[in-house]
Amino acid sequence: RGFFSGDCSFGPRFLARQLPTLVWSAMKVAVLSLSGEKLASLVAEPTWGFHEVLVAMKERGVLALDRRALVLKGGLCLTDRGSLADIGVVAGSQLTLVDLPPLHLLTASANGGAKLWNVASSRFG
């Protein structure tokens, strides 16, 4: 009775059932600006979420480290809880990167002063 015997719980039938969940193939996707300009090509996993896509874009210099962004495919937005596969991204898909300005908050004090707080850098200015 070897590892691949038919009655073994880790035999070929088990592996065949598990293979789709164990193996993800990387896919090449294009990232475009709102104007349609190609910004980058990514080799991504279908399981990548919003964070992984943004990190890849920042590593390629397409998006500044302190910038916020939206990642869209058609009318769907990639969120923290979803994956590329969840919004229908497959090999050859085109994503749209929407570069958002840094988030600022205006603070005010009792002495009448006001300052602009940059949320991303955690600094005034």
Side-chain angles (χ1 to χ4, degrees):
R1 300 184 94 116
F3 178 76
F4 290 107
S5 64
D7 59 349
C8 176
S9 62
F10 293 103
R13 285 186 222 133
F14 170 81
L15 292 176
R17 285 192 312 270
Q18 297 301 315
L19 196 56
T21 60
L22 294 175
V23 177
W24 287 102
S25 59
M27 56 188 181
K28 189 172 182 179
V29 296
V31 181
L32 310 176
S33 68
L34 277 175
S35 65
E37 174 190 355
K38 186 173 182 180
L39 301 172
S41 290
L42 297 179
V43 177
E45 299 290 329
T47 56
W48 276 18
F50 179 73
H51 177 75
E52 289 86 1
V53 172
L54 282 191
V55 167
M57 297 304 295
K58 289 177 181 185
E59 286 174 349
R60 285 161 180 75
V62 173
L63 190 64
L65 294 175
D66 66 340
R67 298 298 283 199
R68 302 176 310 126
L70 296 175
V71 177
L72 309 170
K73 184 195 180 280
L76 300 174
C77 185
L78 184 60
T79 65
D80 293 334
R81 295 187 198 133
S83 69
L84 291 173
D86 291 339
I87 62 170
V89 175
V90 295
S93 290
Q94 294 181 338
L95 300 174
T96 302
L97 180 73
V98 180
D99 187 6
L100 301 172
L103 185 60
H104 289 94
L105 296 174
L106 182 62
T107 63
S109 62
N111 68 5
K115 290 185 179 181
L116 198 57
W117 177 262
N118 182 317
V119 175
S121 67
S122 298
R123 294 188 180 143
F124 286 107

